[in-house]
Amino acid sequence: MNNNRVYNFSSGPAMLPESVLQQAQAELMNWQGTGISMLELHHRSKEFIELSEKITEDFRELLAIPKNYKILFVPGGGRGQFAMVPLNLLGNKNKADYVITGLWSRIAEAEAERYAKINIVEDAKASNYTSIREASEWLIDPEAAFLHYADNETVDGLEFDYIPDTKGVPLVSDMSSNILTRRFDVSRFAVFYACAQKNMGPAGITVAVVHEDFLDRALAITPSIFNYKKHAESGSMQNTPPCFVWYMLGLVLDWVKEQGGVPEMEKRTARRSQQVYQCIDQSQLYVNPVNPRFRSRNNIVFDLRDTNLNERFINEAAARGLVSIKGHPQRGGMRVGIYNAMPDAGVNALVEFMKDFEKTA
Ligand code: PMP
């Protein structure tokens, strides 16, 4: 790794592969012989349209997305989807089911209340965000327009290890913080989405994958720029897309493919998260309260039993080039984001630091 860089454990925007940054730097002045920078290229140029189509097909290939799903690159971030999902999926129904497993799914639920009557079928607050009940125990409303859940909760460090069976209710998932870290059966979903800035690129673009059957249900009040169908019909170019961010996302997808695709990312994610959880579990100082089954592989939260040591821990970590490890203010404690682009050496350095710190604590 470049000597000037640190291991950045931010929950997002997060580290990008160094080779991607280098390629973007090398191509900045003149993208592929056009004499134009990607920061300047017209979005309706033949070159950009071809690039956007290539990126779409790469994403389809990486996650084995069937042809009857549209892959949309949309504005508004993850939060934009909190509104777009109800606006586009309620159709002639006025109720939806929500699963709450942490801060983000709670915010999603609050947004949906603007448009529909919401039935909370599971709230992990009951376990202080340490566990998730089986979907078979949830009181799913068979008449709900959809059921929404967050596959991985970035703040609370809670991740599903199964795809809920909703008995026919269309399933929607926020995969913002674990997309491209494991394979899954796409055909189980009506919609899944993820903002880019954790595992796919810089902030500024969000991928929404929508089954074709769900393109005709938008409420009349849906702003055009929030309408899935209009994005599908325009090749995600209703408005001027963030071309540079989209291009960066494409470079990250190329990198994932070169590394061995999603199966390889899945192996790395499992191995590295196990390494950190093992360090936590073997220590007298660190503690992670989450039921091991639902421990996030991407956002590892932990507390120091002696919270007086928090500040020293953060400062000493930073002195070793391990930054952005402070927990979200809503949760406190520590949190490390270990996304695809984090080098193994960063995880090794983190674990070594944690062990060394404990010895001096
Ligand atoms: N969902 C999850 C799971 C997230 O972690 C985040 C952001 N951290 C969001 C949604 C919101 O994304 P954005 O900031 O792009 O709106």
Side-chain angles (χ1 to χ4, degrees):
M1 198 168 79
N2 180 315
N3 284 341
N4 299 326
R5 286 173 58 78
V6 293
Y7 295 115
N8 173 10
F9 293 90
S10 162
S11 59
M15 284 185 88
L16 291 166
E18 202 165 288
S19 61
V20 165
L21 293 173
Q22 278 160 348
Q23 188 176 342
Q25 187 176 41
E27 294 182 333
L28 191 70
M29 295 296 278
N30 179 355
W31 183 70
Q32 297 204 347
T34 54
I36 301 174
S37 168
M38 182 48 74
L39 288 159
E40 306 161 323
L41 190 64
H42 192 261
H43 60 296
R44 298 198 197 283
S45 63
K46 182 173 157 289
E47 290 87 351
F48 191 78
I49 290 175
E50 277 174 16
L51 177 67
S52 70
E53 287 169 354
K54 175 193 178 298
I55 297 171
T56 308
E57 286 320 303
D58 283 348
F59 190 79
R60 190 181 293 286
E61 186 190 318
L62 278 167
L63 283 174
I65 300 172
K67 286 270 172 264
N68 54 351
Y69 284 80
K70 296 287 184 200
I71 300 170
L72 312 176
F73 293 85
V74 299
R79 277 182 191 253
Q81 292 308 300
F82 297 170
M84 277 173 93
V85 164
L87 284 166
N88 283 276
L89 297 195
L90 279 167
N92 56 12
K93 297 193 170 179
N94 66 351
K95 48 188 184 171
D97 285 348
Y98 273 69
V99 175
I100 295 178
T101 49
L103 181 74
W104 292 107
S105 42
R106 190 171 296 286
I107 296 174
E109 185 277 326
E111 183 67 24
E113 278 184 21
R114 299 159 70 93
Y115 309 107
K117 191 179 166 310
I118 305 299
N119 174 30
I120 297 177
V121 297
E122 163 70 342
D123 193 339
K125 188 164 192 251
S127 68
N128 210 9
Y129 305 109
T130 58
S131 204
I132 307 170
R133 287 184 308 159
E134 293 303 318
S136 54
E137 293 179 48
W138 306 344
L139 289 179
I140 295 173
D141 178 351
E143 290 303 313
F146 61 90
L147 180 144
H148 178 280
Y149 77 104
D151 204 32
N152 183 60
E153 275 286 357
T154 323
V155 168
D156 303 273
L158 214 59
E159 184 176 24
F160 273 81
D161 73 340
Y162 68 95
I163 299 177
D165 178 1
T166 53
K167 307 210 167 41
V169 173
L171 187 59
V172 179
S173 186
D174 177 355
M175 300 191 179
S176 289
S177 45
N178 65 352
I179 195 89
L180 299 179
T181 66
R182 67 180 170 200
R183 292 160 295 178
F184 57 93
D185 180 1
V186 170
S187 71
R188 298 280 304 276
F189 293 91
V191 173
F192 63 91
Y193 62 85
C195 52
Q197 66 269 22
K198 301 164 193 297
N199 266 312
M200 294 192 288
I205 208 161
T206 298
V207 185
V209 180
V210 183
H211 188 285
E212 277 172 1
D213 288 354
F214 295 87
L215 289 170
D216 278 314
R217 302 184 185 196
L219 301 181
I221 57 158
T222 307
S224 298
I225 197 64
F226 267 14
N227 187 305
Y228 286 146
K229 190 174 187 185
K230 289 187 195 292
H231 280 292
E233 286 170 349
S234 64
S236 301
M237 291 199 206
Q238 271 194 86
N239 68 324
T240 313
C243 300
F244 189 78
V245 173
W246 202 348
Y247 148 82
M248 288 291 289
L249 188 149
L251 295 186
V252 173
L253 298 189
D254 287 341
W255 176 84
V256 173
K257 284 194 349 185
E258 278 159 30
Q259 299 290 306
V262 177
E264 172 60 23
M265 297 299 124
E266 186 169 348
K267 273 191 225 148
R268 283 186 197 177
T269 311
R271 186 180 71 234
R272 298 174 340 172
S273 57
Q274 267 163 26
Q275 200 182 336
V276 179
Y277 282 119
Q278 197 175 53
C279 168
I280 293 170
D281 290 343
Q282 288 174 351
S283 112
Q284 304 298 313
L285 178 63
Y286 312 112
V287 59
N288 169 290
V290 179
N291 173 346
R293 233 191 98 184
F294 300 112
R295 283 174 162 179
S296 169
R297 300 161 308 133
N298 292 274
N299 304 98
I300 302 180
V301 296
F302 60 95
D303 298 294
L304 272 60
R305 288 184 202 272
D306 179 356
T307 53
N308 293 322
L309 294 172
N310 282 0
E311 211 179 306
R312 209 187 105 201
F313 182 80
I314 291 165
N315 291 340
E316 290 187 16
R320 288 212 202 175
L322 308 167
V323 306
S324 212
I325 61 173
K326 189 174 180 175
H328 187 280
Q330 288 272 331
R331 188 197 171 277
M334 305 297 154
R335 170 180 59 170
V336 286
I338 300 177
Y339 298 120
N340 288 343
M342 171 61 65
D344 278 353
V347 181
N348 294 339
L350 172 74
V351 167
E352 197 178 297
F353 164 69
M354 288 172 71
K355 289 183 177 161
D356 288 350
F357 184 87
E358 182 166 6
K359 283 184 206 140
T360 65

